[in-house]
Amino acid sequence: MSRPTTLTALAEEKTLGSSFVRDEDERPKVAYDEFSDAIPVISLAGIEGPARADVCRKIVEACEDWGVFQVVDHGVDTKLVAEMTRLAREFFALSPEDKLRFDMSGGKKGGFIVSSHLQGEAVQDWREIVTYFSYPIRNRDYSRWPDKPEGWVKVTEQYSESLMGLACKLLEVLSEAMGLEKEALTKACVDMDQKVVVNYYPKCPQPDLTLGLKRHTDPGTITLLLQDQVGGLQATRDNGKTWITVQPVEGAFVVNLGDHGHFLSNGRFKNADHQAVVNSNHSRLSIATFQNPAPDATVYPLKVREGDKCIMEEPITFAEMYRRKMSKDLELARLKKLAKEKQLEDSEKAKLEAKPIEQILA
Ligand SMILES: O=C(O)CCC(=O)C(=O)O
Ligand SMILES: [Fe+2]
């Protein structure tokens, strides 16, 4: 099947196109709406007052446990969040032509695309995205920011700034927990990058065969995810054997630590291993705001606790860390493909060996 230009049309189909069908071991194991309360919901209400120690302890525990937690009473204006959500929904409701005016295939930095911005993925994700790069401000390329719906640029700018504030506040907590000065983690990012990815997952005809977003860890420092009430974000901490679906909480942000956060803490804080599943009842919207270090920022543990071994052999740049991650992913995909081919070959051989010799010679 040729690659669709948008997914919205496919949502009406009865069967899933083969380019979206995943290997059995990658398919969802838990339903999109079978919610778990394993991921703590933490109120930041008292964070600047006497309750600070208690709030920080909860955050640190969650980072050590899953690398994921949810925050409420986080100080981001409810109206701004509602506006951002409304505009994001309106964007995906635009005509394919309007969305494709910002087509980012071919490596453009920011805009609209189906499935994934990474080229050469073997199986497609059941999602559409619109993305923009918001920090550092001097690098903003407004020509890649949608000019529709009306108000997009103004609201997305405010949203980005507000979430950058929240992310830095959370990084302060983690810096302190590592026994470092408050600014240690943000300073290690040199000049913090921020990218916002709005994910839209249309209803899917055969959701059990595919994923909205395949299993991954975010590469950066810290991600703030706003999700609607449908459900679909899943996390694992046993390398994909078991999964939980994160309970949507109205007004909350899901906080995920990424690879950079993991390395800087010498592995003390987990990099959240997660994916998004889809369903045939509802479309779903999520907005992921990624805070990443500058490409040439150094990735190396800021603190190795007594008795621990350093998990990195040498300091590398974030760009190099990312390159190694990508090439590891490609290598894993290659090995998997080889194993599958070998399995097929072995089963053909076994069939042949089971046949009576007269049939083979006939
Ligand atoms: O949509 C979701 O729940 C997950 C999104 C996500 O993990 C991402 O955009 O990196
Ligand atoms: Fe993610």
Side-chain angles (χ1 to χ4, degrees), residues 35-42 62 65-71 227 233-237 244-247 249 253-256 272-273:
F35 299 129
S36 156
D37 57 7
I39 303 298
V41 180
I42 303 172
D65 214 12
W66 285 92
V68 187
F69 55 99
Q70 305 204 53
V71 290
Q227 63 164 337
L233 172 64
Q234 301 191 329
T236 178
R237 53 174 178 174
I244 56 118
T245 308
V246 177
Q247 165 95 57
V249 173
F253 287 102
V254 181
V255 184
N256 280 338
D273 195 351

Side-chain angles (χ1 to χ4, degrees), residues 213 216 218 256 274 290:
L213 177 54
H216 66 284
D218 296 340
N256 280 338
H274 60 289
F290 301 95

Side-chain angles (χ1 to χ4, degrees), residues 162-232:
S162 229
L163 266 67
M164 181 57 97
L166 175 57
C168 290
K169 201 151 92 177
L170 293 168
L171 289 177
E172 285 183 1
V173 171
L174 297 181
S175 301
E176 282 181 352
M178 287 163 67
L180 304 167
E181 56 159 337
K182 269 185 176 179
E183 290 79 25
L185 283 165
T186 41
K187 274 188 188 160
C189 292
V190 182
D191 204 357
M192 192 103 80
D193 264 25
Q194 187 193 57
K195 172 173 98 159
V196 179
V197 177
V198 188
N199 297 295
Y200 176 69
Y201 307 95
K203 284 185 199 174
C204 178
Q206 293 180 291
D208 297 341
L209 303 182
T210 192
L211 289 172
L213 177 54
K214 76 164 185 188
R215 180 181 164 193
H216 66 284
T217 56
D218 296 340
T221 321
I222 193 167
T223 307
L224 301 174
L225 184 86
L226 179 72
Q227 63 164 337
D228 63 19
Q229 296 302 294
V230 173

